[in-house]
């Protein structure tokens, strides 16, 4: 669960604190940012969880599991870049057009998230990765964002939730 939440937190930390309250990210925007962050977070989680067996999904540095997240991250980058620009100063949009912006953002955010992983968390995180493996990467991003929206709603109802105030809009009613 921490990794799922961590993915979204990493992606959403790009908003400057003064603008974190408004506007909020739509579900689609938040999923795009989560997709862009996922490959580096998965790789970094594998490094943190180096005590796991080499066959574990988190430890694999190549293969179909990571490749599907990399492919979707590439597809999601234009939408994620636009979403980040919505939350930032307009001058940031030009910086986000750089070839290095995506690498820089993910290299900053992944360690902030994976740095919270404790060795005792690694078997659970690997099990979560195994359960998510058959799903398309976009579905995993949807689970991350829906979980964040749920936890944010619970926090708003006064239920205890250790969750930062993230600029994710409430879940859209279906």
């Amino acid at each position: 669960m921490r990794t799922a939440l961590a993915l979204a937190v990493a992606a959403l930390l790009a908003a400057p604190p003064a603008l974190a309250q408004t506007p909020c990210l739509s579900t689609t925007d938040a999923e795009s940012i989560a997709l862009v962050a996922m490959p580096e977070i998965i790789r970094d989680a594998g490094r943190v969880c180096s005590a796991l067996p080499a066959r574990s999904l988190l430890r694999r540095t190549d293969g179909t599991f990571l490749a599907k997240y990399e492919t979707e991250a590439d597809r999601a980058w234009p939408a994620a870049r636009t979403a980040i620009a919505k939350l930032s100063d307009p001058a940031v949009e030009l910086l986000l057009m750089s070839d290095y912006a995506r690498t820089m953002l993910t290299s900053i955010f992944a360690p902030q998230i994976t740095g919270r992983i404790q060795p005792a968390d690694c078997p659970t995180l690997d099990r979560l990765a195994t359960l998510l493996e058959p799903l398309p990467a976009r579905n995993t991003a949807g689970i991350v964002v829906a979980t964040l929206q749920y936890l944010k709603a619970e926090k708003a109802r006064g239920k205890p939730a250790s969750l930062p105030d993230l600029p994710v809009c409430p879940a859209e009613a279906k």
Side-chain angles (χ1 to χ4, degrees), residues 37-164:
M38 281 184 193
E40 187 59 29
I41 291 172
I42 292 167
R43 272 190 217 85
D44 215 33
R47 285 189 289 275
V48 171
C49 293
S50 62
L52 288 172
R55 70 183 181 283
S56 82
L57 284 177
L58 289 179
R59 294 279 317 281
R60 294 182 196 164
T61 57
D62 59 10
T64 58
F65 178 68
L66 191 54
K68 76 177 172 183
Y69 286 99
E70 289 170 337
T71 299
E72 286 302 317
D74 291 343
R75 287 184 189 144
W77 175 238
R81 185 174 52 220
T82 301
I84 293 167
K86 287 180 196 175
L87 295 173
S88 305
D89 186 286
V92 171
E93 191 165 4
L94 283 175
L95 295 172
L96 291 171
M97 298 305 286
S98 162
D99 291 339
Y100 303 103
R102 179 173 155 191
T103 302
M104 182 187 70
L105 287 171
T106 57
S107 69
I108 290 170
F109 296 136
Q112 290 179 358
I113 299 309
T114 57
R116 299 174 188 190
I117 297 173
Q118 300 299 312
D121 299 330
C122 292
T124 300
L125 295 176
D126 192 53
R127 170 125 169 88
L128 284 170
T130 301
L131 291 170
L132 294 171
E133 180 183 23
L135 295 178
R138 191 154 291 279
N139 287 47
T140 302
I143 291 168
V144 168
V145 172
T147 301
L148 280 173
Q149 290 169 325
Y150 171 77
L151 292 173
K152 191 171 182 178
E154 288 295 293
K155 187 175 182 179
R157 288 186 202 100
K159 296 186 179 178
S162 177
L163 183 69

Side-chain angles (χ1 to χ4, degrees), residues 5-28:
L5 293 175
L7 294 171
V9 171
L12 299 174
L13 286 175
L19 296 177
Q21 301 300 335
T22 55
C24 63
L25 290 171
S26 69
T27 298
T28 302

